[in-house]
Amino acid sequence: MLKVSVKWQKEVFPDVEIDTSQPPYVFKVQLYDLTGVPPERQKIMVKGGLLKDDADWGTLGFKQGQKLMMMGTADEVVKAPEKGPVFMEDLPEEEQAVAVGHSAGLINLGNTCYMNSTIQCLHSVPELKSALLQYPQSERRNDLDHPSHMLTVATRDLFNELDKTAKAVAPMQFWMLLRKKYPQFGQLHNGVFMQQDAEECWSQLLYTLSQSLRSPGANENPDSVKQLFGVELVSRMHCQESCEESSESETVYSLKCHISHEVNHLHEGLRHGLKSELEKASPSLGRSAIYLKESRINGLPRYLTIQFVRFFWKRESNQKAKILRKVDYPLELDVYDFCSDDLQKKLEAPRQLLRNEEGKKLGLKIAEKSSTSKDNDVKMSDADEGSSNLARESSLTTSQDDAPVEEKQLTGIYDLVAVLTHKGRSADSGHYVAWVKQESGKWIEFDDDNPIPQREEDITKLSGGGDWHMAYICMYKARAVPM
C-alpha cells in the first residue's frame, strides 16, 4: 500500500494510504474525512497539473513517502444556536444538536448503495447500537479473527458518527474493512467497483457481529445478534419413497418469502418459504432420495427480517434474473400461524393481554380476568424498552438505574420499521435504497446521502410490479407486553 503525506493549509497529514487499485476519487474521499474539504473543491498538485478523479495512478509516478499539496476550503461546521426555542419536542439531547429529526445520510463511494442501505436499516436498531457501544476496541477475544474485530469496531464508529452529525458521512473505513473481511465486495469491472447484493452484505455483516458481540464465558449475551435477529426453526423431514422421518432445529437470521405465480401476499410467500425439497442420503435405501422439509417457528426474535427472494439464476441466459411480481406486505405482521404448537401455547397469554389493551383503547368493555391474571392495567410496550422474551424464556426489563421492572413476553405480532428496496430490472445493477421508521413515527427514505421524508401510506406501495423501488428486505419489530 502506497503511503504519502498531504499538506493542507498549516496542517500536514502523514502516512495517508493510497490504494492504487481504486480511482483517485476514493483517495479524495479519504482526504475529505481528514480535512472536511469536499472532493469537488480539492485541488491536489501532481506532475502535469491537478489530480483528476479518474486519473491513472500508473502514469502519475507517485513514490513512497512523497509529499503532496492540497488546496481547498472545508465545509463550514453548522453550529447550534446558543439560545432559542427548541423544536422537535422530546428529542434526546444529542439529536437536538443536529436538529434534523433523523440520522445522517451516507456518501456513495462507487456502487456502494447496497452497503449504505444495509447500514441505515441496521443502524435503526437501538439494542444493536447499545451492544456495539460496549464493544472494546483494544481487546480482542482469542477465538475472534482480526478482520472481524476491526469490522465490528468500524461498525460501532460509523453508527456513532451517523448519530452525531447532520452532514453526509463517507463510510470509507467501514468499506475498506468490509472488503478486507469479505473480498467479494471488492470485485472490479473495467476498473470500477461492481454493484453487489444487499442481502449478502446484510447477512455477512450480521454474521460477523454475531461472532464478535458474544460475551466470553457466557452462553448468550442478552443483546447479542442471535437474540435480536435469530429465528429458531424446528423442521420435520419426510421421505415419501422410504417413509423415513427425522427432525432438526436450527437458527436463521431471516425468513424467506418465495415468489411464484401463486404468491400475491407476504403470508403466502412465507408459507412457501417454510416448505422445501432437498436431496440427501437415505440410510434405508442406501442412496440419495428426495425429502420434503416442513419448518415451523419455535423461537421469535425482537426484530424479524424477511427477504423477498427476487433474484434467481437463469440457466438459459447464464445470468441472474429478477422477479418483478408484485407481492403485498403489511405494516403489521402476525406470524402466529407459522409457529410450532409449543410456541403457540406460550403466545396465547401475552396475545390475550395485547387484545385486552387494544380493546381498552377502542373503549370496549373487557371481561373480568381469571385468577391467573392479577393486573387489570396492562401496558403495551415496544420490545426495545428492555430485554424481550423470545417466547422461549422470560427476561427482565431494566430501567436506567438497572433496577428490575417487569418481565415482557413477545406476542407474535410485529410492526414494520425498515424496508430495503431495489430499483431496476437487472440483478447486477440498479439501485438500493433504505426506508426507515424513526422513533417519532415518521418515515425517512435514505437514498445514499439524501434523506427524504416519506408518508407511511407510501411505504406499502413498494411491493413491486414495475420499474419502481420494490421491497427486497423487510424488518419488523416485535410487540411485547409485561407479564
Side-chain angles (χ1 to χ4, degrees):
M1 188 76 73
L2 187 65
K3 291 185 179 181
V4 297
S5 64
V6 179
K7 185 177 187 303
W8 173 67
Q9 295 182 354
K10 295 182 180 180
E11 295 186 72
V12 176
F13 300 94
D15 297 330
V16 180
E17 293 184 348
I18 296 179
D19 188 345
T20 53
S21 66
Q22 303 175 20
Y25 179 77
V26 175
F27 174 60
K28 290 185 177 183
V29 173
Q30 288 178 258
L31 296 180
Y32 173 49
D33 279 345
L34 294 172
T35 64
V37 180
E40 62 270 14
R41 292 190 203 159
Q42 295 178 16
K43 294 181 180 180
I44 303 172
M45 309 303 295
V46 297
K47 182 174 65 176
L50 299 176
L51 179 63
K52 295 182 179 180
D53 292 348
D54 57 353
D56 183 359
W57 289 112
T59 63
L60 298 176
F62 277 20
K63 298 179 181 179
Q64 193 74 238
Q66 184 170 334
K67 295 181 180 179
L68 300 179
M69 178 175 291
M70 185 186 81
M71 294 181 289
T73 306
D75 280 342
E76 185 177 348
V77 178
V78 178
K79 296 181 179 179
E82 295 182 4
K83 294 181 180 180
V86 177
F87 299 99
M88 293 172 290
E89 57 191 15
D90 299 328
L91 282 177
E93 184 177 347
E94 62 272 17
E95 292 186 28
Q96 291 178 10
V98 178
V100 291
H102 55 77
S103 59
L106 289 164
I107 295 173
N108 192 317
L109 303 176
N111 287 331
T112 57
C113 57
Y114 70 92
M115 179 186 77
N116 290 350
S117 54
T118 295
I119 292 169
Q120 292 289 8
C121 289
L122 295 178
H123 173 256
S124 69
V125 179
E127 297 93 335
L128 183 59
K129 287 195 280 189
S130 297
L132 284 166
L133 280 174
Q134 299 171 22
Y135 185 76
Q137 179 164 348
S138 55
E139 299 178 11
R140 175 172 65 90
R141 297 200 321 266
N142 294 331
D143 61 340
L144 185 68
D145 61 278
H146 186 68
S148 294
H149 169 70
M150 294 307 298
L151 181 58
T152 304
V153 172
T155 306
R156 180 199 65 191
D157 294 345
L158 181 56
F159 279 16
N160 288 341
E161 192 172 2
L162 285 172
D163 286 331
K164 292 179 180 178
T165 179
K167 184 176 67 173
V169 175
M172 176 57 65
Q173 186 70 10
F174 177 89
W175 187 39
M176 293 174 66
L177 291 167
L178 177 69
R179 286 181 288 127
K180 186 173 183 179
K181 172 64 179 175
Y182 300 106
Q184 64 266 35
F185 296 118
Q187 291 177 316
L188 294 169
H189 180 68
N190 294 330
V192 178
F193 284 100
M194 296 173 61
Q195 176 70 286
Q196 301 291 334
D197 189 339
E199 191 277 331
E200 184 180 3
C201 180
W202 183 301
S203 298
Q204 299 285 30
L205 180 57
L206 275 189
Y207 174 76
T208 298
L209 297 180
S210 71
Q211 301 301 302
S212 58
L213 296 181
R214 284 188 310 202
S215 290
N219 291 329
E220 201 66 53
N221 181 345
D223 279 326
S224 72
V225 171
K226 183 177 179 181
Q227 289 223 354
L228 289 175
F229 300 99
V231 183
E232 284 191 9
L233 295 179
V234 58
S235 303
R236 170 182 170 269
M237 286 176 286
H238 173 74
C239 178
Q240 290 184 335
E241 191 177 358
S242 65
C243 294
E244 292 173 283
E245 282 198 7
S246 61
S247 61
E248 66 177 21
S249 59
E250 61 181 324
T251 298
V252 299
Y253 290 94
S254 67
L255 295 180
K256 308 297 182 185
C257 174
H258 282 243
I259 303 173
S260 68
H261 66 279
E262 301 173 349
V263 174
N264 297 303
H265 194 275
L266 174 60
H267 270 85
E268 298 165 342
L270 287 175
R271 201 174 302 279
H272 280 273
L274 290 171
K275 293 182 180 180
S276 61
E277 284 189 351
L278 68 155
E279 184 177 350
K280 69 170 192 170
S282 167
S284 62
L285 297 176
R287 56 175 172 80
S288 294
I290 300 298
Y291 285 75
L292 177 63
K293 180 179 180 180
E294 296 186 31
S295 302
R296 308 288 284 179
I297 300 173
N298 203 42
L300 292 170
R302 292 154 85 174
Y303 291 85
L304 179 63
T305 303
I306 295 172
Q307 179 204 355
F308 292 77
V309 185
R310 291 199 173 273
F311 299 126
F312 68 100
W313 189 258
K314 202 170 185 178
R315 291 182 180 178
E316 50 266 33
S317 59
N318 201 33
Q319 62 182 8
K320 284 170 69 177
K322 182 179 180 182
I323 302 173
L324 302 176
R325 183 178 180 83
K326 180 179 180 181
V327 179
D328 292 320
Y329 55 90
L331 292 172
E332 176 187 305
L333 177 65
D334 190 347
V335 297
Y336 180 84
D337 291 341
F338 305 121
C339 297
S340 65
D341 293 342
D342 288 343
L343 181 54
Q344 286 183 350
K345 290 178 182 178
K346 294 178 182 178
L347 292 175
E348 286 175 2
R351 287 170 70 86
Q352 184 60 51
L353 290 176
L354 182 60
R355 284 192 290 267
N356 291 347
E357 178 62 21
E358 290 175 343
K360 288 180 183 179
K361 290 181 179 180
L362 295 173
L364 301 178
K365 186 176 180 180
I366 307 301
E368 288 296 323
K369 297 181 183 178
S370 65
S371 58
T372 57
S373 296
K374 298 180 180 179
D375 187 2
N376 287 325
D377 187 20
V378 179
K379 297 182 180 179
M380 191 179 75
S381 61
D382 288 330
D384 67 337
E385 294 174 358
S387 298
S388 75
N389 178 346
L390 302 187
R392 302 188 291 274
E393 56 184 73
S394 298
S395 55
L396 288 176
T397 307
T398 306
S399 64
Q400 291 183 352
D401 58 358
D402 294 330
V405 182
E406 286 177 299
E407 293 181 356
K408 292 178 182 166
Q409 291 191 355
L410 301 192
T411 60
I413 298 174
Y414 288 80
D415 295 301
L416 186 66
V417 291
V419 182
L420 189 153
T421 62
H422 180 266
K423 180 181 180 181
R425 290 179 174 263
S426 172
D428 297 319
S429 60
H431 186 54
Y432 290 101
V433 170
W435 313 67
V436 180
K437 190 175 185 179
Q438 309 299 297
E439 291 183 4
S440 63
K442 296 180 180 179
W443 283 85
I444 299 294
E445 172 192 354
F446 287 97
D447 187 353
D448 286 328
D449 59 350
N450 185 25
I452 308 166
Q454 296 290 344
R455 300 178 304 172
E456 185 171 70
E457 54 264 35
D458 293 330
I459 301 303
T460 53
K461 295 177 182 178
L462 306 168
S463 52
D467 292 328
W468 181 238
H469 294 281
M470 61 185 69
Y472 184 36
I473 298 174
C474 283
M475 185 170 72
Y476 287 86
K477 177 181 177 182
R479 289 190 198 175
V481 292
M483 296 292 288

